[in-house]
Amino acid sequence: MKIAIVGAGIIGVTTAWELASDGHEVSVFERRGAAAEEASFANAGVVAPGYVTPWAAPGMRVKVLRSLLSSHGAIKLRWPLGARDLGWISRWQKACKLETYLANRARMQRLAFYSRTRLHEVTEARELSYERSDGYLVLLRSKREKKLVQPGLEVLRAAGSVFREVDADEARRIEPALSTDTALAGAIHLPEDEVANCRQFALLLKWEAEALGAQFHFNCDIAPLSRATPTSLSLASGSPPLNFDAVVVCAGLASASLLRPLGLRIPLAPVYGHSISAPIRESLNAPRSAVMDERYKVAISRLGQRVRVAGSAEIGGSLGRMNPAAVQTLYKVLHDWFPGAVTLQSGVQQWKGARPMLPDGPPVLGASGVPGVWLNLGHGSSGWALSCGSARVVADLIGGRDAGVDLEGLGVERLHLHA
């Protein structure tokens, strides 16, 4: 088949690879000048399937309110809040029911474990190297945090995650550079989880897809799809239409406007995150892999000769405006755990990205309900962890094969949309 993919983030690139591997004629269109320039650019890089869970959870509303009142809270509301944001918040609140949460958590974790397996298969088959390291350590600053994390450990057990609770001494043996000046009550060690450079993987896989014949077209802002000819693409600035047998929409936040003329109202909203990346000054003072500060929800990751610190979740505001308080929190957590690990005088990259999130958590995969139009979108903060599995699922569905994972609840019908 002749297939177009709109979007060349980690979701679009993995989808291109899988479809090209299946023998399809693939063309990818991206509005940016290169692959993985938006939400895939400088995320935390953590692949931890057991921790892939919906935001919409019982008790989450209270946690959000507490976070709003904390100077270093992980979740913030920013002005302006538009109608899209307010509508998203309303739908998110409705999805916080226990039954809804349990179903969506199971959906996301099935896909996440399948995706990690597929990631390893692709990595081994193509011999890819992308600043990867094993292990994930969740740091607990107090006895209260150790108590509060217990329900989360039940989630990990139910998901089949391999983990163990360790005391402070054992945590420091796993990550010897952890500062002894910061109180540490214990940690959760997940030895089978990992951290890796999402953008580097995307660029490598893009080259592999091109070797199979996939074509990537950059600086191509695609116009909204037409109900009359939904598998034809034109530039937003105007161009003759290009006709395809199928179109796969993987365009993150832009997916909503692309699909609206087809009668699909996808409730996507940007949830902004921040990161800083800095060169390592002394390797022995840097993390070996990835740690998560449970109190501040900030991840510190080793990516080759750099350390990346990522966190915050902001609803509202704008992509172009960095939040100084969020960046300050990242520096604080880095200094608490790994003081002196990086050079901050030069070479520091500050980044803000927009995670394309659906209010109830899981992405939407598969047929849109419009003939020839397929969806792979709404992965939110878990795009890297879900990308390889999502791409394989969509490729299997387009090819008329059974997917390698239970797809219940991952289709567009979950959102109660009508094309």
Side-chain angles (χ1 to χ4, degrees), residues 90-103:
S90 176
R91 294 184 70 147
W92 167 77
Q93 289 181 317
K94 293 176 183 177
C96 286
K97 298 174 183 177
L98 178 60
E99 182 180 0
T100 303
Y101 162 72
L102 292 175

Side-chain angles (χ1 to χ4, degrees), residues 58-359:
M60 189 64 177
R61 285 171 284 192
V62 174
K63 292 180 182 179
V64 169
L65 289 174
R66 288 175 180 167
S67 182
L68 293 176
L69 298 173
S70 170
S71 59
H72 291 291
I75 302 171
K76 296 294 182 183
L77 296 178
R78 299 293 174 195
W79 300 104
L81 275 173
R84 174 183 61 181
D85 302 310
L86 295 173
W88 188 93
I89 291 171
S90 176
R91 294 184 70 147
W92 167 77
Q93 289 181 317
K94 293 176 183 177
C96 286
K97 298 174 183 177
L98 178 60
E99 182 180 0
T100 303
Y101 162 72
L102 292 175
N104 285 329
R105 186 185 74 192
R107 291 162 181 158
M108 293 181 75
Q109 291 183 341
R110 284 197 304 269
L111 182 59
F113 280 98
Y114 175 68
S115 188
R116 185 175 67 181
T117 298
R118 186 58 185 156
L119 170 64
H120 293 169
E121 290 172 349
V122 173
T123 297
E124 182 177 352
R126 309 313 300 172
E127 298 181 346
L128 303 180
S129 177
Y130 46 95
E131 296 180 335
R132 179 188 173 280
S133 53
D134 291 315
Y136 186 43
L137 195 65
V138 180
L139 304 175
L140 309 171
R141 291 177 179 249
S142 67
K143 292 181 179 179
R144 180 175 181 272
E145 288 177 23
K146 289 184 68 174
K147 181 179 180 180
L148 291 175
V149 82
Q150 293 306 311
L153 299 187
E154 291 302 319
V155 172
L156 293 177
R157 290 188 184 96
S161 291
V162 176
F163 72 92
R164 60 193 180 102
E165 298 182 69
V166 299
D167 60 19
D169 290 338
E170 178 65 12
R172 290 193 169 96
R173 281 193 286 271
I174 295 167
E175 284 287 357
L178 284 171
S179 173
T180 55
D181 293 333
T182 300
L184 180 60
I188 311 301
H189 184 223
L190 298 101
E192 294 187 358
D193 291 347
E194 62 197 74
V195 61
N197 191 321
C198 173
R199 182 170 187 262
Q200 194 175 96
F201 176 85
L203 294 175
L204 291 172
L205 201 62
K206 168 187 170 288
W207 296 333
E208 296 290 341
E210 287 176 320
L212 294 177
Q215 296 185 348
F216 285 76
H217 307 276
F218 295 103
N219 299 307
C220 292
D221 192 6
I222 297 298
L225 302 184
S226 164
R227 181 183 286 271
T229 55
T231 58
S232 295
L233 298 185
S234 300
L235 295 178
S237 58
S239 69
L242 297 175
N243 298 317
F244 297 90
D245 299 314
V247 172
V248 188
V249 179
C250 308
L253 287 168
S255 301
S257 60
L258 288 169
L259 294 165
R260 192 170 295 119
L262 305 183
L264 295 170
R265 299 293 189 268
I266 308 294
L268 284 169
V271 177
Y272 299 112
H274 293 73
S275 74
I276 55 174
S277 304
I280 291 174
R281 180 166 66 183
E282 171 49 63
S283 184
L284 294 178
N285 291 336
R288 289 178 171 176
S289 186
V291 305
M292 166 66 78
D293 186 305
E294 178 66 16
R295 178 176 299 178
Y296 297 105
K297 306 299 182 185
V298 169
I300 306 174
S301 306
R302 173 73 172 263
L303 297 174
Q305 293 305 307
R306 293 177 300 156
V307 169
R308 178 166 296 157
V309 191
S312 80
E314 296 181 2
I315 301 173
S318 64
L319 181 61
R321 183 177 180 183
M322 297 287 290
N323 177 11
V327 176
Q328 183 182 16
T329 298
L330 301 182
Y331 279 110
K332 168 189 162 47
V333 174
L334 173 62
H335 179 75
D336 283 352
W337 295 117
F338 299 100
V342 301
T343 300
L344 297 177
Q345 288 74 25
S346 63
V348 177
Q349 175 195 71
Q350 294 188 0
W351 175 81
K352 182 177 182 179
R355 310 172 181 116
M357 293 189 73
L358 290 163

